[in-house]
Amino acid sequence: MHFLLETLWVLARSLFYCLESLVRFIIPVRRKSVSGELVLLTGAGSGIGRLMALEFSRLGARLVLWDINEEGNNETARMVRDMHGARAYAYTCDCSDREEVYRVASQVKREVGDVTILVNNAGIVTGKKFMDSPDALIEKTLEVNSLAHFWMYKAFLPAMIAANHGHLVSIASSAGLIGVNGLADYCASKFAAIGFAESMALELLASGCDGVKTTIVCPFFINTGMFEGANTKWPRLMPILDPEYACRKIVDAVQKEQVYLYMPRSIYIAIAMKNFLPTKMGVLLGEYLGAFNFMAKFKGNGKKSD
Ligand SMILES: NC(=O)c1ccc[n+]([C@@H]2O[C@H](COP(=O)([O-])OP(=O)(O)OC[C@H]3O[C@@H](n4cnc5c(N)ncnc54)[C@H](O)[C@@H]3O)[C@@H](O)[C@H]2O)c1
Ligand SMILES: *[C@@H]1O[C@H](CO)[C@@H](O)[C@H](O)[C@H]1NC(C)=O
């Protein structure tokens, strides 16, 4: 196309998208129904995985629950059935093990059907200074928090593409947007998860597969026990999130087909500032917000994936 014409066309569309997002900011977006969808959650045996299972089933979805912790996973399935009378199928799977992912995935396809909403939620944290972190735990963190997402997409995305229908949800972290003292391996794994989900969303769009949506979730600390002992300096500015609240926001973002969800809202400001302020000022603000001591009293939940 002619340079001038194409530039004008892009400007006009840009203006339209700005207006559209302004309107959507004022008038709430219509939520899509998840009733009848088949939702697979990894890490469904506790924390926000369990809460998302309850929320999705309340909204009429069928559930496939994966966790390495069979007991917790069974308990989630029981809660889903008891509270909402919904169908829930629990599978024990270590999603850091590629062969196991492929094996359990084909079992799910055979026994339940094609997954239409995939939530990569399972995650672990070492919580030590990098030099004190055992190599095996560093590797495991990358395997669970990022590599597992590759194998889950390989297993479940083809059916979504074929139907041009589905939703990929990545439970990453604000630690995947900004480095944190004391969380080097975890941050690396979450940066990877975000880079992967974002790239795949573009790959889908470029191939014309516009029916498969992506939502990338970046929360600050959530009070689930995973980050027990981690602390925030100014809870009003950077509150530790309530698990029920976080879970409601995530499911809501899926229903609104929102691509990025950062929680709390101050994370949007922190990220914008990181990208345009002088570096020293960024560090100063980080100190002011207590970022250097987030992990000082970390205890964790004692659960380690093995
Ligand atoms: N809690 C927070 O402060 C926080 C903040 C930001 C992001 N997140 C992310 O949210 C997600 C859920 O965390 P949570 O707070 O509910 O923690 P959680 O520890 O309660 O839940 C994690 C679940 O993943 C399961 N799991 C661990 N390794 C696994 C493996 N190899 N295969 C299958 N399942 C495995 C665990 O058994 C557990 O049930 C994680 O990805 C975490 O990184 C948590
Ligand atoms: C979980 O549930 C399955 C199927 O009902 C059962 O076979 C298994 O023994 C249960 N495991 C635990 C640890 O409760």
Side-chain angles (χ1 to χ4, degrees), residues 17-248:
Y17 291 144
C18 287
L19 288 175
E20 185 189 41
S21 91
L22 190 71
V23 169
R24 288 199 171 173
F25 190 72
I26 301 163
I27 305 166
V29 190
R30 212 173 57 87
R31 290 174 180 79
K32 75 174 169 190
S33 162
V34 295
S35 167
E37 301 290 336
L38 185 59
V39 181
L40 189 158
L41 289 149
T42 66
S46 70
I48 56 170
R50 170 174 291 168
L51 292 174
M52 286 189 284
L54 291 171
E55 183 67 3
F56 275 118
S57 64
R58 189 181 68 81
L59 295 168
R62 292 184 302 145
L63 273 301
V64 174
L65 311 169
W66 282 23
D67 207 293
I68 196 171
N69 169 4
E70 184 169 320
E71 208 182 315
N73 207 28
N74 277 7
E75 175 65 11
T76 304
R78 194 192 55 75
M79 287 169 80
V80 165
R81 292 190 201 109
D82 287 0
M83 288 175 71
H84 304 300
R87 269 177 292 173
Y89 309 85
Y91 291 84
T92 305
C93 181
D94 174 357
C95 57
S96 69
D97 180 334
R98 187 181 56 204
E99 291 310 321
E100 197 170 319
V101 166
Y102 292 160
R103 185 175 54 74
V104 182
S106 47
Q107 204 184 335
V108 167
K109 284 180 236 180
R110 224 176 28 245
E111 295 172 356
V112 190
D114 285 330
V115 168
T116 56
I117 300 180
L118 168 64
V119 187
N120 277 314
N121 165 74
I124 56 168
V125 60
T126 309
K128 292 185 194 324
K129 291 261 180 288
F130 181 69
M131 287 303 175
D132 302 330
S133 303
D135 292 354
L137 216 51
I138 294 172
E139 256 169 11
K140 190 50 97 181
T141 300
L142 269 293
E143 282 169 10
V144 178
N145 297 4
S146 14
L147 279 173
H149 299 195
F150 300 4
W151 320 137
M152 294 301 286
Y153 272 48
K154 279 270 174 88
F156 294 106
L157 185 53
M160 294 188 196
I161 293 175
N164 193 25
H165 173 79
H167 205 128
L168 303 158
V169 185
S170 177
I171 307 300
S173 170
S174 54
L177 299 165
I178 196 158
V180 182
N181 167 29
L183 279 175
D185 57 347
Y186 183 78
C187 284
S189 73
K190 293 296 187 180
F191 269 74
I194 294 175
F196 173 65
E198 195 168 69
S199 304
M200 286 304 296
L202 293 172
E203 203 168 301
L204 286 164
L205 206 62
S207 67
C209 184
D210 57 359
V212 180
K213 310 295 178 185
T214 295
T215 295
I216 299 171
V217 183
C218 303
F220 185 58
F221 295 126
I222 312 169
N223 194 6
T224 59
M226 181 182 185
F227 277 90
E228 194 60 46
N231 58 310
T232 183
K233 191 168 151 197
W234 310 117
R236 274 177 183 276
L237 227 52
M238 290 270 180
I240 299 210
L241 301 162
D242 167 58
E244 266 94 19
Y245 167 83
C247 162
R248 270 199 314 276

